[in-house]
């Protein structure tokens, strides 16, 4: 779990998988059950936090269901 702050708002979460490339990242988050719209917002926050904390661009994000 990692803690971030965006505009003085604390955000805590754990990114399931980060693929690191020379200049950018790929974020993958695994979910059980149905894929809901709230997960889209969650991965967008992960992306913003990772970009702010590293200065690198997140090229892609994916949410995959676990069966």
């Amino acid at each position: 779990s990692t803690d971030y702050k965006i505009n003085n708002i604390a955000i805590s979460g754990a990114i399931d998988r980060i693929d690191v490339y020379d200049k950018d990242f790929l974020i993958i988050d695994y979910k059980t059950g149905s894929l809901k719209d709230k997960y889209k917002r969650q991965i967008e926050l992960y992306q913003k936090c990772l970009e702010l904390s590293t200065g690198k661009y997140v090229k892609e994000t994916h949410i995959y269901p676990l069966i």
Side-chain angles (χ1 to χ4, degrees), residues 15-19 21 24-30 35 39-51 56-64:
I15 300 171
D16 293 328
R17 177 176 161 182
I18 303 171
D19 290 353
Y21 301 99
D24 53 27
F25 296 106
L26 165 69
I27 296 175
I28 297 175
D29 206 43
Y30 300 102
L35 299 180
Y39 297 137
K40 184 176 186 287
R41 180 69 180 135
Q42 179 184 18
I43 205 164
E44 288 171 348
L45 286 170
Y46 286 165
Q47 176 178 354
K48 185 72 169 173
C49 291
L50 189 60
E51 288 176 341
K56 285 188 171 183
Y57 174 70
V58 174
K59 185 176 180 179
E60 294 181 58
T61 62
H62 297 282
I63 301 172
Y64 291 120

Side-chain angles (χ1 to χ4, degrees), residues 30-36 38-39 63-67:
Y30 300 102
K31 298 294 180 195
T32 57
S34 64
L35 299 180
K36 299 181 181 178
K38 70 177 183 177
Y39 297 137
I63 301 172
Y64 291 120
L66 294 176
I67 299 171

